[in-house]
Amino acid sequence: MEHESLAGQPILRKSSETESIQIDSSMTLKRLSSRQDFDEVDVVRVTMNGEHGTRTNSKCVKMFYVLSGQIRTTTDGKQYVAQAGDLICIPKGVTAHIEGDDAEALIICGPAFDSAFDV
């Protein structure tokens, strides 16, 4: 479902009304906000079970707030493990391998996510 941008206005995006998108074999997301809403930030709700892969985003800080399950990220050989209530922040330009174990999380990106900068 497409939503109009309401520049200068609050928006209400109900998860129950948001389309699920299969990103890869391990991740499904619901886009709660996007670049069309705000250039500064976007928020998605994801389920993740398995390896999402290794990625570097040259433009966005990515924050993973874990709602349930577990998310692991490895950068420069160091592994970070987050469980429900934990937050992992990945600075722009940092290469991270990401995987989840029956995880549900909010991913907050600032500025708003653009796949052109995620390699």
Side-chain angles (χ1 to χ4, degrees), residues 57-99:
N57 193 295
S58 62
K59 190 171 182 180
C60 297
V61 172
K62 288 185 178 180
M63 295 176 273
F64 292 75
Y65 180 76
V66 182
L67 301 169
S68 64
Q70 183 180 85
I71 291 180
R72 291 180 308 284
T73 184
T74 304
T75 61
D76 293 327
K78 184 171 182 183
Q79 186 176 74
Y80 302 86
V81 179
Q83 298 185 32
D86 295 342
L87 179 74
I88 295 176
C89 295
I90 302 173
K92 68 180 180 180
V94 171
T95 300
H97 182 81
I98 302 163
E99 52 190 297

Side-chain angles (χ1 to χ4, degrees), residues 15-49:
S15 182
S16 62
E17 298 172 355
T18 305
E19 174 186 11
S20 291
I21 303 166
Q22 187 76 40
I23 299 301
D24 56 32
S25 62
S26 72
M27 181 187 282
T28 302
L29 71 75
K30 287 187 170 208
R31 189 168 302 285
L32 300 175
S33 72
S34 69
R35 180 172 294 287
Q36 287 72 35
D37 298 314
F38 307 103
D39 286 336
E40 298 87 1
V41 66
D42 75 354
V43 180
V44 296
R45 186 173 185 143
V46 300
T47 56
M48 189 183 327
N49 196 29

